[in-house]
Structure formats: C-alpha cells, structure tokens
Amino acid sequence: MAFKELYQPVHTIIGEGCINEIPRHISAFGGSKALVVTDPGLEKIGTLKMVTDVLDGASIPYTVYSKVKPNPTVSIVNEAKAQYDREGCDFVIGVGGGSPIDVAKGVSILVTNGGTVEDYNGLELSEKKGQPLIAVNTTAGTGSEVTRAFVITDEVRRSKMLCVDSNSLAYLAINDPAMMVDMPPSLTAATGMDALTHSIEAYVAKSRCPFTDGIALESIRLIGQYLVRAVENGHDMEARTQMCWAQYMGGLAFSNAGLGMVHAIAHQLGGFYDTPHGVANAIMLPYVMRFNMTHCADRYADVAQAFGFNTAELTTDQAALAAILYIEEMEKRIKIPKLSDTAFNPDDALALAKNAMTDTGMPENPRQPSIEEVVKVMITAYCDKGDQE
Ligand SMILES: [Fe+2]
C-alpha cells in the first residue's frame, strides 16, 4: 500500500486536573444531557464522583449507568442504550478502563446507526459517525479512549467480538493521572502490561509505519521505567503521569498498526474464562515473543534498547532474549500470575486456538502460526509454573 491512514480522537487532554476541562468541550458540541457509563467499583471508590462533580459544577444534566462488568456483554450494551433512549440523552461519557469506554462506544454507534452490536463485529461496518463520546480513562491502560476499537463479549457463543470502527472514535479523550491514584496495585500492573503488549505488538505488526514505530518505542521505554514505580506506590504522580503518556501512545500505536497473537489468545481467555484482559496479555506476552523470535528478533532487540540495555556487544538474538527476560522479571516484581493460576483448562486449548486464528489481531502477527502452534504456545505457558521458591 502506498499510503497509510491514521486514526485518533478529535481532542485529547493529558495531565493532572484536566478533567475540569470537560464542560468547555460539551459546550463546544452543544451536548444537553449525558449518559455516563461506568462500573460499580468506580462508583464505590469515588472515581465516578470526580466526573459527576465536574458536571454538577457546570449544571450539565446526566444519568449514570454503572452496571458494566469486565469483559462486557451484548446485553450490557443493550441495557445502557435503553437507558440512553429512556432518559433522552444526546451524548455519552465513558468513565473507566477498557470496559465502560467500550460499552460507551457501542452505545454511541447504536444510537446513530441502529441494529445490534453483532452488526458491527469486524472492520468499519457502521455508516454514520457515532453520537459524541467523551472517554475518561481511569487506568493506564487499555488505550480504549484513543482507539477506534471496542470489544464486546457474545455471551451465547462465549467469544469476543472486536469491532474496529472509526465512527466510534472519541470526540474527547481525557487522561488525568489524579483519577488513577486509587487504582489498586494489581490493576495498575495488569493494565500497564496491557499497554506494554499494545506497544510491543504494534512495533512488530505487519501494518506498522514510522509514526507507530516512534510512539511504540517511547511507550515501551516509559513503561520499562515507570510501571514498577506506579505499582509499588500508586501516589507517585510522576510515575502515574508518565504511564498516562505511555498508555496513550500504546493505544495510538496499536490502533494504527494492529495487534498480534498475544491479543488473539488473550481475547479467547477473556471470552472463555473472564480472565482480565491485561492479565491474559501479560501471561501470554513472553511466550508469544519467544515464538515470534525467528521472524522479528531485530525488532525485539530494539525493545531491549528501549528498556535501557546496551546491546552493542550482543547478537540480535541475545538482545531480543534480553527484552523477553526483562519482561519476565518485571512481571515477577509486579506479581503477574502464571496461566496455571487462572481458570484456563488445557482441554479447551484446541477450541481456544481455533477462535484465536480468526481474531483480527492474528493476521498482523509477524509469524503466522498453525492451530497446533497456537495450542503449543498456550500449553507451554500452562506448564511453566515459574520459579518454585
Ligand atoms: Fe489490549
């Protein structure tokens, strides 16, 4: 292809306190009543209140839908959309990590295009721009606030639908690190590893370009430097701020370059067992990198450099391996579980692999696996119990 099309939100604000800029943007597009989509946990710990306080302060009417669960389903999107219609809303605010923002994107698309979420399972299947969406990110991160993708679980087929649709891009993306300080360490770890997986998969994806290469590498550098700090001290504002930038760049990178085999498998682990997305990615990342080594060791060597290794005296393979070992060490420090600690059942491996082969991330993987090779990668991860200390 001789040209490359890039996607990003219309507006983005990053930095401490930027949440207070939301009313200015609502005035700009003339919104009158918001459907605020979030999850019960964020409502309970007061993160949602940070947003509704800003809306209250500007006398902007809203109604809250707070029943989003991890790996959100078609029925959750339908329920939120019904509330939007019932309450006479005309724009959507998603407050959360990936799940509430994904649901908000689904509502935004359904309002202007009609039909059901299943109609948009695939690439660019809607015709009209969605209703204005403000995506307030509370994790760092899924990148959902910057991407044109939303993932909804088909609860009947127990599989994940990946809707990739530029009509779902946010009007305004908000990354305020002050909203992330109360994120528990385990969630900081899982979402940070999701961001790292976005950047690494984008950096080796077949549709990569110089723009995505640049932001992916800087994202990897920042995550290598700041993720452990953010996990160990959630109130470290420098670490939280730098992770905001890292996850934003990772989101932009994968949204414009594509993903790979890690996400192709992680989507199935989420669909089958409700394994949290970031945990599933973190678990699979080193094993898929080992599998991919024969096809992109030079790119993984760049990842090692981004982590701070001096690779001048190393062969390409040694440098690539250094990147993988660094990730494994980091995962130990931030207490990422092994696949055998999750609900994964090796008897399901073949069914999971078959689904993974049809995932939209798989064609972007630098090495195209057979079904048997996908099974082997999963079983290798399952049999690795880590150091028995
Ligand atoms: Fe992801």
Side-chain angles (χ1 to χ4, degrees), residues 9 39 257 291 294 364 373:
D39 64 45
F291 174 77
T294 50
E364 289 294 338
E373 284 170 331

Side-chain angles (χ1 to χ4, degrees), residues 44 287 370:
K44 194 172 166 196
Y287 302 98
S370 63

Side-chain angles (χ1 to χ4, degrees), residues 141-144 151 190-191 193-195 197-198 201 254 259 263 266-267 277-278 281:
T142 62
S144 185
V151 183
T191 53
M193 288 307 299
D194 186 23
T197 309
H198 294 156
E201 294 216 285
F254 92 77
L259 290 166
H263 272 77
H267 288 149
H277 177 69
N281 275 322

